[in-house]
Amino acid sequence: MSVWFGYHMPNYTFPAVPPDGLFEHVAMLARAAEDAGFGLVTVMDHFYQIRGVGPETDPMLEAYSTLAALSQRTSSVRLGTLVTGVTYRNPALLAKTVTTLDVLSKGRALLGIGAAWNEDEHAGYGYDFPRVGERMDRLDEALTIIRSMFNEDRASFDGAHFHVADALNVPRPIQAGGPKILVGGGGEQRTLRIAAKHADMTHWFPLGLEPLRHKNELVDRYCEEIGRDPKTVERTMATPVIVAPDERSARAMIDHLPEERRAYVKGGTPEQAAEGLRPYLDAGFTGFTFNNPIYSTPESIAAAGELLRLVA
C-alpha cells in the first residue's frame, strides 16, 4: 500500500476568526491539506472540546454537518471522523449518514468509529454511557449492521443492543462495498479483535515502536484466527514525527501535544522527520495523521506535504 497523510481537525478555536467565518477557515485548511497532497481530512465526533486540546467550552462543530459541507469545498481527499462514538447514533442512521456523505463527495467518505469515552458529554447530551464491555459489544453489533447496509438491498439484524428489520439504504454508496471502515483504539482484548473482524484500517496513537509492533502482531493473530488475510487491514496512526524549520521549532511544536505522547514523537526538518518515520514504515504503517493545533497554517501544512513527498 502507498503511504498517505491525513489532516485531522480537532480544534476550532481560531482567535482572529469570528463565528460566521469559522467554517470558511476550516475549509481553507482542508483545501491546503488537499493541495499539499494529503489523502484524508478528518474531524472529531465530539460535542465538547476534549482534554489535551482545550477546555470543553471551546467551539466544537457537529462532525457530519461539517464533513458534508467540506465535501463541497474539496475534490480529492477522503472525508471522515476520527472517530465516531458508537453510543452517539443508531447504527442504521449512521450507515445512512455515511452513505449520504459518500454520495455528496462522489465516493470519498470514510467511516471512523470507536467505542466512545467522553463521559461528560454523554451526561450533558443525555446519552447512556454503559460500561466499556457493553460499549465494545455495541461496537461489534453496530459494525455488523453498517456493513450489511453498505452491501445488501435490505439489512436485518437482531442483537442484544441493536435491531434492524429489512432496513433500506438508497441511494447506495458510491464506493463498491461501501466506505472503508477505520476502527480507532488499541485495546488488545476487545478493540483489536473487533478491528480484525470488521475494519479496513486501524488507527493508534504514538506509543513507541515496540508496543505498536505488538499491536500489529495481535491484529495479525486475530485475523488468522477467523481466516482473514491480515494484509487486508491497513495500519495507520497519529504521526510520530513533527515537521519544523529546525529542531528548536520542532521542540516547541511537540510541547503542544498531550504530555503523555511527547516522549514518543520526534521533530525536525522534513529530511530529519523522514528518517524518523522510516522505522514505522518498515513496521507496516502506511497512513499518518497530522493535527491542526500544530499544523494551523497553509505554510505548516505544506511543510508536512514536503515530508510526504520524501517518504512516498
Side-chain angles (χ1 to χ4, degrees), residues 198-227:
H198 294 287
D200 300 293
M201 305 173 182
T202 58
H203 189 272
W204 306 321
F205 291 121
L207 302 168
L209 195 54
E210 290 310 312
L212 291 173
R213 282 195 178 117
H214 178 63
K215 292 184 188 297
N216 266 339
E217 291 168 357
L218 286 175
V219 172
D220 290 349
R221 183 195 310 167
Y222 295 152
C223 283
E224 290 163 358
E225 287 176 359
I226 60 173

Side-chain angles (χ1 to χ4, degrees), residues 205-278:
F205 291 121
L207 302 168
L209 195 54
E210 290 310 312
L212 291 173
R213 282 195 178 117
H214 178 63
K215 292 184 188 297
N216 266 339
E217 291 168 357
L218 286 175
V219 172
D220 290 349
R221 183 195 310 167
Y222 295 152
C223 283
E224 290 163 358
E225 287 176 359
I226 60 173
R228 181 177 182 183
D229 182 354
K231 293 180 181 178
T232 62
V233 183
E234 187 174 6
R235 316 304 163 88
T236 77
M237 63 181 293
T239 178
V241 298
I242 295 292
V243 184
D246 51 57
E247 291 186 22
R248 182 176 179 180
S249 300
R251 185 69 259 169
M253 295 167 76
I254 290 172
D255 287 343
H256 286 284
L257 295 172
E259 187 173 358
E260 65 272 13
R261 297 182 201 160
R262 295 173 192 168
Y264 305 113
V265 176
K266 296 180 179 179
T269 65
E271 292 76 13
Q272 290 170 321
E275 187 65 25
L277 206 58
R278 179 58 54 191

Side-chain angles (χ1 to χ4, degrees), residues 22-43:
L22 179 55
F23 175 71
E24 293 301 331
H25 191 84
V26 168
M28 178 273 292
L29 293 174
R31 287 194 300 269
E34 188 170 72
D35 291 344
F38 282 55
L40 173 68
V41 168
T42 54
V43 299

Side-chain angles (χ1 to χ4, degrees), residues 17-28 61 65-66 69-70 73:
V17 178
D20 62 358
L22 179 55
F23 175 71
E24 293 301 331
H25 191 84
V26 168
M28 178 273 292
L61 298 178
S65 303
T66 304
L70 285 175
R73 300 297 186 89

